[in-house]
Amino acid sequence: MGKLNFASLGSGSKGNATLISDGETQVLVDCGFGLREAERRLARLGVHPRQLDAVLVTHEHGDHLRGVGPLARRHGMPVYLTPGTWLSGRLGEVPQRHWIIPQSRFAIRSLVIDPITVPHDAREPVQFRFESRDRRLGVLTDLGHPTEHVIEAFSGCDALILECNHDRYMLEIGPYPPRLKRRVGGNWGHLANVQAAALLQRLGLDRLQRIVCSHLSEHNNRPELALEALSPLLDGDASRLIVAAQDRGLHWQAIN
Ligand SMILES: [Zn+2]
Ligand SMILES: [Zn+2]
């Protein structure tokens, strides 16, 4: 195992969950899958829920929160979330609750975590930057547009899980009702492939060993389109670029 490792249980509008481990500390970011499904997907990655030190929640949307309460209650694990996410009332009782204060660094054992405010239509959404032994991983999905604050916070990562939610043309001609199209494509919705590419360019690619296209819309995107949008930035070295899928997720990736 490398210094910092990550894997995805699945990514997309039907459910998201990401595993982060540095060999000493292991946490789950979000759990948009029901209890049994989450346990099954964890097992696929060689993890038993009791091995998790905590679950961190980005925001209260069902594709991130659905399984957090059941998992925490069943296996007695601590949940970290912002007061705003808690006030949405969607979590239920959990054995141990810890507040995340946006922009205030905290640690879970050996993992150092920066919660970063993002523009998204939830009560108090954050995304995370993880650091362990001089390696940094950014988890950045569910943002309507790239802000200066986000660009500053996620610069200098060694790996990045980045939202490539939709292709603008597919969203425009796709099956969503007009109101939902405006929400998804708007400033407080989700990041389009072209926006992900622009953001990546601003972040700088020198240090990035892995870029994971994530949270792809089932109806409004295709993996090829996300890859096509980002690969011109990589000077032909597309091996750094991978896609996290809804069903299969993403197997363990080591940051060297
Ligand atoms: Zn969301
Ligand atoms: Zn989401």
Side-chain angles (χ1 to χ4, degrees):
M1 282 255 184
K3 291 181 172 182
L4 193 54
N5 304 274
F6 63 96
S8 168
L9 277 69
S11 179
S13 40
K14 286 182 178 162
N16 296 275
T18 310
L19 273 169
I20 322 282
S21 172
D22 66 357
E24 186 183 332
T25 311
Q26 184 155 250
V27 301
L28 191 64
V29 174
D30 292 331
C31 187
F33 304 101
L35 181 61
R36 295 292 295 276
E37 184 63 20
E39 287 173 344
R40 195 180 67 78
R41 288 173 183 246
L42 281 167
R44 192 165 72 184
L45 292 161
V47 176
H48 188 277
R50 303 251 167 203
Q51 293 174 291
L52 295 171
D53 293 288
V55 188
L56 281 61
V57 181
T58 59
H59 63 298
E60 69 272 22
H61 291 159
D63 58 320
H64 299 265
L65 189 74
R66 191 173 295 120
V68 172
L71 201 63
R73 287 187 284 274
R74 173 92 175 81
H75 298 286
M77 65 184 69
V79 177
Y80 288 69
L81 77 176
T82 64
T85 302
W86 168 251
L87 286 170
S88 74
R90 296 189 190 164
L91 180 65
E93 286 306 316
V94 288
Q96 257 189 77
R97 197 182 62 207
H98 299 271
W99 291 140
I100 289 173
I101 307 303
Q103 281 65 250
S104 298
R105 176 173 282 203
F106 64 101
I108 299 175
R109 300 179 61 199
S110 56
L111 273 182
V112 174
I113 303 159
D114 289 297
I116 314 295
T117 296
V118 289
H120 188 56
D121 51 4
R123 293 285 185 97
E124 196 178 10
V126 288
Q127 295 290 321
F128 299 109
R129 202 183 79 149
F130 294 89
E131 190 171 326
S132 177
R133 293 174 217 128
D134 205 31
R135 291 294 179 271
R136 290 189 279 273
L137 164 69
V139 177
L140 181 55
T141 68
D142 298 76
L143 73 164
H145 63 285
T147 62
E148 290 303 317
H149 173 67
V150 162
I151 290 161
E152 193 181 319
F154 286 90
S155 292
C157 286
D158 299 283
L160 182 66
I161 295 173
L162 177 64
E163 171 161 59
C164 297
N165 179 260
H166 58 277
D167 171 78
R168 276 187 172 152
Y169 181 64
M170 278 189 77
L171 177 66
E172 191 188 314
I173 61 161
Y176 282 9
R179 204 169 146 263
L180 187 54
K181 285 184 184 180
R182 281 196 298 276
R183 193 226 132 203
V184 170
N187 272 340
W188 300 84
H190 290 278
L191 213 59
N193 294 341
V194 288
Q195 290 177 296
L199 171 56
L200 199 53
Q201 191 153 34
R202 289 286 311 278
L203 291 175
L205 289 111
D206 293 353
R207 210 184 147 124
L208 282 170
Q209 299 173 23
R210 282 269 184 286
I211 301 145
V212 184
C213 304
S214 299
H215 213 302
L216 269 71
S217 165
E218 184 189 11
H219 299 291
N220 306 311
N221 209 355
R222 286 199 306 266
E224 319 74 279
L225 293 174
L227 293 171
E228 204 177 287
L230 301 194
S231 52
L233 300 170
L234 294 165
D235 293 328
D237 180 15
S239 62
R240 289 194 276 168
L241 196 56
I242 39 181
V243 177
Q246 182 70 83
D247 294 331
R248 285 171 292 108
L250 181 71
H251 209 267
W252 284 105
Q253 306 289 314
I255 300 172
N256 296 310

